[in-house]
Amino acid sequence: MPLIKFLFITVLILWIIRILIRLLLPMLFGNLASKMQQQATGQQQQPKKKPEGSISIDYMPPKPDQGKTDKLGDFVDYEEVK
């Protein structure tokens, strides 16, 4: 008897979860899709207009240290001996 009661309660809980998922997931994905669409249209509507001839630099790589090259030693040209 306890096994039948356990199985009945388990099936009932899984059935309720299945119904809730069918109701809640479409609303969740619809809300998520509308937010993504709003962000995409917001990015398209605001292009940055720059006057002609202006220059903008988005990224400048760090300059290498000049002191490291002095510590490498002397460079000797390689000559092949036959």
Side-chain angles (χ1 to χ4, degrees), residues 36-65:
M36 290 176 63
Q37 186 177 12
Q38 287 175 354
Q39 287 179 351
T41 57
Q43 289 176 354
Q44 290 176 354
Q45 292 176 354
Q46 299 173 356
K48 295 181 180 179
K49 294 185 178 180
K50 298 176 186 173
E52 189 173 333
S54 67
I55 299 174
S56 66
I57 300 173
D58 293 335
Y59 173 74
M60 283 187 70
K63 295 181 179 178
D65 294 336

